[in-house]
Amino acid sequence: MDFDQADAINQAIRMLSLRHRARTAELLAPLGLHPGQEALLLELARSGPMIQAQLSEALGVERPSVTLMARKLEAAGHIRRSSAPDDQRATVVELTDRGRALTDGIKQLWCALAQQTLAGLPAQTVAELPDLLKTLAGNVDTRRARQHRDAG
């Protein structure tokens, strides 16, 4: 691949990422949320109560980031944190009724954002996009690169 093609691809991905995050922030603000917090709430809605370390892994973010998000969401009454019954060092995170109710609004917002983002794309492209994006994310996953380097 030559530089011009690489530059065009990297710039397009960078701009998509920046604009998607900015639009996400705009849509979440009326709900009192910041980008990333919606993913935590949706993961808990999908999976049920989780140990904070598992939540970090599921979200693909560092543990301190999950701790900070969890503190803020707990202060807002959206989640509850408690010690794990079998390991006092581990923290279990679960949705409160208020958090569960909020996830319905997040799901609607998420659908609207996806529709806006994908407007004008052929149905076949939309159908293939999740797998394609997962492949791209995996290709640049720093944890995977670190594991591959350490194994070699």
Side-chain angles (χ1 to χ4, degrees), residues 28-34 37 73 76 78:
L28 290 173
L31 300 178
L33 297 174
H34 297 281
Q37 292 176 331
L73 291 169
H78 301 308

Side-chain angles (χ1 to χ4, degrees), residues 68-95:
L68 182 61
M69 281 192 286
R71 283 184 187 145
K72 290 179 179 180
L73 291 169
E74 183 178 39
H78 301 308
I79 65 166
R80 180 179 311 106
R81 296 186 306 157
S82 57
S83 295
D86 55 341
D87 182 355
Q88 295 300 305
R89 297 169 297 167
T91 302
V92 175
V93 183
E94 63 183 314
L95 288 174

Side-chain angles (χ1 to χ4, degrees), residues 58-125:
L59 296 174
V61 298
E62 299 295 324
R63 288 182 186 185
S65 297
V66 169
T67 300
L68 182 61
M69 281 192 286
R71 283 184 187 145
K72 290 179 179 180
L73 291 169
E74 183 178 39
H78 301 308
I79 65 166
R80 180 179 311 106
R81 296 186 306 157
S82 57
S83 295
D86 55 341
D87 182 355
Q88 295 300 305
R89 297 169 297 167
T91 302
V92 175
V93 183
E94 63 183 314
L95 288 174
T96 61
D97 290 342
R98 183 176 175 171
R100 208 170 285 99
L102 184 59
T103 60
D104 290 336
I106 294 170
K107 287 177 182 179
Q108 291 174 4
L109 176 149
W110 227 217
C111 289
L113 178 59
Q115 289 173 340
Q116 179 182 7
T117 304
L118 300 173
L121 291 179
Q124 179 68 27
T125 302

Side-chain angles (χ1 to χ4, degrees), residues 11-80:
Q11 289 294 342
I13 291 170
R14 186 178 75 79
M15 291 307 297
L16 173 60
S17 176
L18 291 171
R19 289 180 178 154
H20 189 271
R21 186 167 177 86
R23 185 66 181 131
T24 299
E26 288 175 15
L27 294 171
L28 290 173
L31 300 178
L33 297 174
H34 297 281
Q37 292 176 331
E38 83 290 353
L40 188 150
L41 293 169
L42 289 172
E43 184 61 36
L44 291 174
R46 195 175 11 259
S47 302
M50 300 177 80
I51 292 174
Q52 214 163 276
Q54 294 169 322
L55 192 52
S56 171
E57 184 66 28
L59 296 174
V61 298
E62 299 295 324
R63 288 182 186 185
S65 297
V66 169
T67 300
L68 182 61
M69 281 192 286
R71 283 184 187 145
K72 290 179 179 180
L73 291 169
E74 183 178 39
H78 301 308
I79 65 166
R80 180 179 311 106

Side-chain angles (χ1 to χ4, degrees), residues 121-135:
L121 291 179
Q124 179 68 27
T125 302
V126 171
E128 294 170 356
L129 199 54
D131 286 338
L132 180 62
L133 292 173
K134 285 177 190 173
T135 298

